[in-house]
Amino acid sequence: MTTARHVAIIMDGNGRWAKRRFLPRAMGHQRGVEAVRELVRGLEGTGIECLTLYAFSSENWKREEEEVDDLMNLMRKFIKSDLPEFIANDVKLKIIGDWQALAPDIVAMLKDALEQTAGGSRTIAVALNYGSQNEIARAAAKAATAGDITPETIAANLDTADLPPLDLLIRTSGEVRLSNFLLWQCAYAEMLFVDTLWPDFTPAHLQQALDDFANRERRYGGR
Ligand code: FPP
């Protein structure tokens, strides 16, 4: 049995969840945040040391302004309401992506949240304004400046450099693609694509995914 130390999730299907209920897309995102909250609460005892969540991609700016605003406001609300719980539950927040380019008030809130949770032992890494190709290009540029471009020096300069290797990537909602998420880190990750829409994804679904992972044989190119 192998335990997944680092799990990443592409949280997809909020819009379809709302549409099926004749609700505005914002309601789907709101329920998506609730699913995140429940998952974080359920982490204890799963063996997961780091959960990385794709919350806002660098391509998501192409959405309607109203939807982008809704997502940013949800982020503000989530940090405010859930920070005390993160601290109480020994959760360390990490942000990956070009998050410093977000609205100044969000950047300030995130910096404060990073400081306040720095002592936590279980990591929730949130991808904000994240694009994997951009992350790899930035890492390669840093490696080049230091004079040595190798897989190791690139990996050491990725936003995820201090996280355990990615074990399992999950995407919800039945879509089977990576959408510019953790391309480098997925080199040897197991992948699981489930039909469940993100707002319906529960800690029980995560446990099922972990059980599935535990039964897979990982060979890393060997036999
Ligand atoms: C994809 O659903 C989801 C997103 C683009 C945003 C994900 C964000 C959240 C779950 C909430 C924010 C998270 C945190 C940590 C506060 P979609 O809108 O593409 O769904 P669709 O494909 O069905 O339209």
Side-chain angles (χ1 to χ4, degrees):
M1 291 277 278
T2 325
T3 309
R5 297 172 65 203
H6 184 178
V7 177
I9 309 184
I10 301 177
M11 310 180 288
D12 197 8
N14 295 347
R16 277 162 285 167
W17 184 93
K19 194 171 179 194
R20 282 181 197 174
R21 288 162 179 79
F22 305 101
L23 293 169
R25 291 181 64 81
M27 275 301 292
H29 293 314
Q30 199 174 310
R31 290 296 292 262
V33 172
E34 285 165 28
V36 169
R37 186 174 289 130
E38 289 307 315
L39 215 59
V40 175
R41 286 181 179 156
L43 275 188
E44 180 134 26
T46 58
I48 295 175
E49 292 167 35
C50 177
L51 182 67
T52 301
L53 301 170
Y54 205 5
F56 194 85
S57 80
S58 43
E59 286 78 31
N60 284 154
W61 296 110
K62 292 185 215 148
R63 295 192 177 202
E64 299 274 339
E65 197 181 327
E66 189 186 341
E67 184 172 359
V68 171
D69 287 348
D70 286 338
L71 283 166
M72 293 299 152
N73 285 332
L74 275 174
M75 198 63 61
R76 290 182 175 94
K77 262 173 74 178
F78 179 70
I79 303 165
K80 253 191 211 145
S81 59
D82 287 52
L83 182 58
E85 199 173 316
F86 272 32
I87 298 167
N89 290 327
D90 205 20
V91 167
K92 174 182 182 166
L93 183 70
K94 180 178 169 73
I95 315 289
I96 62 170
D98 191 9
W99 61 278
Q100 308 259 7
L102 296 175
D105 70 303
I106 297 188
V107 172
M109 286 172 85
L110 289 172
K111 278 186 182 160
D112 176 55
L114 291 173
E115 264 173 38
Q116 291 206 53
T117 61
S121 57
R122 205 173 12 244
T123 302
I124 303 294
V126 184
L128 288 177
N129 196 18
Y130 176 89
S132 184
Q133 291 177 339
N134 173 272
E135 178 196 28
I136 295 168
R138 283 189 282 114
K142 279 190 204 158
T145 305
D148 189 21
I149 305 185
T150 66
E152 290 74 26
T153 60
I154 291 177
N157 283 292
L158 292 172
D159 297 354
T160 54
D162 54 341
L163 301 178
L166 182 62
D167 293 307
L168 174 65
L169 176 104
I170 303 170
R171 182 172 189 145
T172 60
S173 90
E175 306 290 340
V176 184
R177 58 178 173 272
L178 291 178
S179 300
N180 204 13
F181 190 48
L182 303 178
L183 303 180
W184 183 284
Q185 296 84 344
C186 277
Y188 286 105
E190 295 291 321
M191 295 187 192
L192 186 64
F193 298 91
V194 296
D195 288 335
T196 315
L197 300 179
W198 177 250
D200 292 328
F201 194 88
T202 63
H205 288 98
L206 179 63
Q207 192 52 56
Q208 221 166 30
L210 294 174
D211 293 345
D212 181 318
F213 174 84
N215 290 319
R216 294 193 190 187
E217 190 190 345
R218 302 178 83 193
R219 291 199 292 265
Y220 300 97
R223 297 199 58 193

